[in-house]
Amino acid sequence: MKKLITIGLLITTMYSAEHIIDQKNKHYVPNNITVAVGDTLVFKNSDSFAHNAYTDDEKNEFDFGMQAPGKDKRVEIKEKSDFVIECAIHPNMSLQVHVK
Amino acid sequence: MKKTIISTVLMSSISLTLLNAQVSSDDQRWVKGPIPIPKNNPMTKEKIALGKLIYFDTRLSSTKDVSCATCHRPDSGWATNDPYAVGIEGREGPRNSPTILNNAYNKKYFWDGRAKSLEEQSLGPIEATVEMNMKLDVVLKNMNNTKGYVKLFENAFPGKGINRDTLSKAIASFERTVVSNPDSKFDKFIEGDKTAMSKDAIKGFELFKGKAHCMDCHDNFQFTDGSFHNIALGDADEGRYKLKNRASWYHSFKTPTLRDVTKTAPYFHDGSVKTLTEATTICASGGKYSTGRNAKNKSTFIKDRHLTTEEISQLVEFLKALDGKPLNITIPTKFPQ
């Protein structure tokens, strides 16, 4: 059983992907993305000021808090869901996430 | 009718395109863009006209003397000049009345952004006990008993009746027409008339974009990017943090538009500041507090920009140049019976 779980985790790790999301000029780039469970979203901040990505989606809830310019933040996709990530400071920033 | 609306939109787009061609690439951000219209509430003449009647109709309040326009007056920059909103029987609300001018461009509404659409926002003040203090069920019942409204709703929303959905959509449709025209001295200036603004206002514009960093939040045609900040006024209101204890929302409030800002004093969510000079000084000098509880979660944009008195004065001259002509909206005097 343990062996099976280990193999399963290895396969998930092998096939999970990283998706780069930039925060630039108060926009998410891209602003629409399709990902899989286990994938990681990597948020960059190319603006000269802080952002605060978050989602209240029940299955994938997270809140980065303040993300300084030039710093990266990462979040793993936990469950299948369609949800929106927003910036707590700049609500016009909106990233639509589709988890297949 | 639909053709009329579509034609109007097309004509607006064409004129905007022509206007854009005269504006430098650096200044394109200040050019009026198309108004975002939700797919589930397309604009029609009928909805706008109906929404306007409702907006000015005091019968929507329990004392029949307060309407949306009481706190968002066309002659006060679509706000009021009281520190706090004053509703029925002189009841004071907890915050200053924000202008509804250019709200159409926002994505969150009220000072704390608790409403996610103009439609959602439009019903809040009707039921608020310190504003219109009227149960929506009663409002809807009264309207359903008013033949004039029944007919107008049928024209605007065929077969849908009078309900929360249609009421909110009518008010929101009208509010989406309360948008500045690009007719201020500033608009003429960026269109190429370099004499439209005074020398001090031009210097103020340069400070606004540069040293003073006002543009970091007061951006776009509407002079706000809709962002939320704690500007460290030191009042007790926790703002957006009350909706959810998200650290970055502590004492944060929405950045207001600056168009027609001379008409909407006093300033800030607590209406505590009487003049533009004082408001500008607070924002450009790092808020009222730099340490302690009152500076907790202070916006990183609120810093001391080390401006001279003359530079503050130039910024204020620039803000005055954002005043536009009053909108061509006729206030109704007769209401559906």
Side-chain angles (χ1 to χ4, degrees):
Chain A
M1 185 64 181
K2 270 186 183 174
K3 204 172 183 180
L4 271 176
I5 292 170
T6 311
I7 291 168
L9 282 172
L10 270 173
I11 290 170
T12 305
T13 309
M14 279 169 65
Y15 288 98
S16 61
E18 283 193 352
H19 306 270
I20 307 291
I21 311 291
D22 200 1
Q23 296 167 104
K24 198 173 182 182
N25 298 324
K26 299 176 196 168
H27 287 92
Y28 289 117
V29 184
N31 62 8
N32 198 315
I33 193 165
T34 299
V35 298
V37 173
D39 285 1
T40 299
L41 301 182
V42 181
F43 285 77
K44 298 196 168 294
N45 183 2
S46 296
D47 278 329
S48 58
F49 40 81
H51 287 296
N52 180 173
Y54 77 96
T55 180
D56 289 330
D57 178 62
E58 287 179 3
K59 295 174 179 172
N60 292 285
E61 188 175 0
F62 74 90
D63 183 347
F64 284 155
M66 290 295 193
Q67 181 181 355
K71 301 286 183 188
D72 290 358
K73 294 269 189 181
R74 307 164 70 87
V75 64
E76 188 182 313
I77 300 296
K78 299 181 192 88
E79 286 189 57
K80 208 171 173 180
S81 173
D82 283 328
F83 62 99
V84 175
I85 293 172
E86 289 186 7
C87 174
I89 305 161
H90 307 98
N92 290 355
M93 294 175 67
S94 176
L95 167 62
Q96 186 71 47
V97 182
H98 170 67
V99 186
K100 59 186 176 186
Chain B
M1 179 276 305
K2 275 185 181 170
K3 276 185 183 171
T4 312
I5 297 290
I6 291 165
S7 304
T8 309
V9 171
L10 278 175
M11 286 301 290
S12 301
S13 303
I14 292 165
S15 58
L16 282 172
T17 308
L18 290 173
L19 187 67
N20 290 354
Q22 299 165 17
V23 177
S24 72
S25 57
D26 282 351
D27 288 335
Q28 288 291 336
R29 66 192 319 119
W30 310 115
V31 172
K32 186 175 183 177
I35 294 158
I37 309 293
K39 283 179 186 167
N40 67 352
N41 190 20
M43 299 276 270
T44 66
K45 281 192 298 185
E46 288 79 3
K47 284 188 211 171
I48 294 166
L50 172 59
K52 184 166 83 170
L53 284 169
I54 298 168
Y55 183 90
F56 287 97
D57 193 339
T58 56
R59 293 174 298 177
L60 269 71
S61 65
S62 60
T63 49
K64 297 188 170 25
D65 59 357
V66 172
S67 70
C68 306
T70 304
C71 292
H72 306 282
R73 298 165 56 103
D75 60 355
S76 297
W78 298 88
T80 66
N81 301 117
D82 299 312
Y84 293 102
V86 180
I88 62 149
E89 299 167 339
R91 295 179 193 176
E92 272 194 348
R95 292 173 183 152
N96 181 256
S97 289
T99 178
I100 65 157
L101 186 68
N102 301 320
N103 247 353
Y105 291 104
N106 286 332
K107 287 197 172 171
K108 309 281 186 199
Y109 300 87
F110 295 118
W111 275 110
D112 56 14
R114 64 186 181 275
K116 291 176 182 167
S117 68
L118 258 183
E119 284 76 7
E120 184 184 342
Q121 180 277 329
S122 68
L123 300 182
I126 297 173
E127 291 205 295
T129 53
V130 292
E131 295 183 57
M132 296 161 83
N133 191 36
M134 192 81 149
K135 294 287 180 203
L136 265 178
D137 290 347
V138 178
V139 171
L140 296 171
K141 187 180 168 189
N142 290 347
M143 285 183 150
N144 272 304
N145 288 332
T146 307
K147 283 181 185 171
Y149 267 129
V150 172
K151 189 177 174 187
L152 290 170
F153 268 91
E154 180 56 27
N155 288 342
F157 303 96
K160 300 273 174 66
I162 303 177
N163 50 55
R164 293 176 72 101
D165 185 54
T166 52
L167 176 63
S168 68
K169 283 178 174 171
I171 300 172
S173 292
F174 168 64
E175 291 194 22
R176 286 196 177 94
T177 67
V178 183
V179 172
S180 301
N181 289 313
D183 56 13
S184 69
K185 289 177 181 174
F186 168 71
D187 295 301
K188 293 185 177 110
F189 177 80
I190 61 163
E191 285 164 27
D193 179 359
K194 298 306 174 195
T195 64
M197 289 205 300
S198 68
K199 284 179 182 171
D200 276 348
I202 294 170
K203 284 179 183 169
F205 181 37
E206 292 307 315
L207 289 164
F208 189 91
K209 294 185 290 183
K211 183 180 176 184
H213 285 263
C214 311
M215 193 178 86
D216 289 350
C217 305
H218 294 285
D219 201 355
N220 309 310
F221 170 78
Q222 62 273 29
F223 281 83
T224 171
D225 62 0
S227 56
F228 290 88
H229 302 279
N230 175 9
I231 59 171
L233 294 182
D235 61 314
D237 193 338
E238 292 185 331
R240 196 155 167 71
Y241 190 72
K242 279 189 202 169
L243 307 184
K244 185 164 185 170
N245 291 355
R246 198 181 300 288
S248 63
W249 286 356
Y250 188 66
H251 280 274
S252 74
F253 295 87
K254 192 169 66 182
T255 307
T257 180
L258 292 179
R259 286 197 177 260
D260 282 357
V261 71
T262 66
K263 300 168 188 169
T264 61
Y267 301 106
F268 301 136
H269 63 269
D270 62 353
S272 62
V273 172
K274 290 179 182 167
T275 67
L276 269 181
T277 300
E278 194 186 345
T280 306
T281 304
I282 288 170
C283 285
S285 63
K288 284 186 179 175
Y289 296 89
S290 54
T291 56
R293 191 181 64 83
N294 290 328
K296 183 181 164 187
N297 187 45
K298 184 165 77 172
S299 170
T300 53
F301 294 98
I302 299 294
K303 293 177 183 170
D304 188 353
R305 306 297 181 180
H306 303 288
L307 301 185
T308 64
T309 306
E310 186 185 17
E311 287 172 327
I312 291 286
S313 169
Q314 288 164 343
L315 273 172
V316 171
E317 284 307 302
F318 169 65
L319 296 178
K320 289 179 183 172
L322 299 179
D323 277 1
K325 293 176 187 165
L327 302 184
N328 186 22
I329 291 176
T330 311
I331 298 171
T333 52
K334 290 182 180 173
F335 295 91
Q337 300 297 319

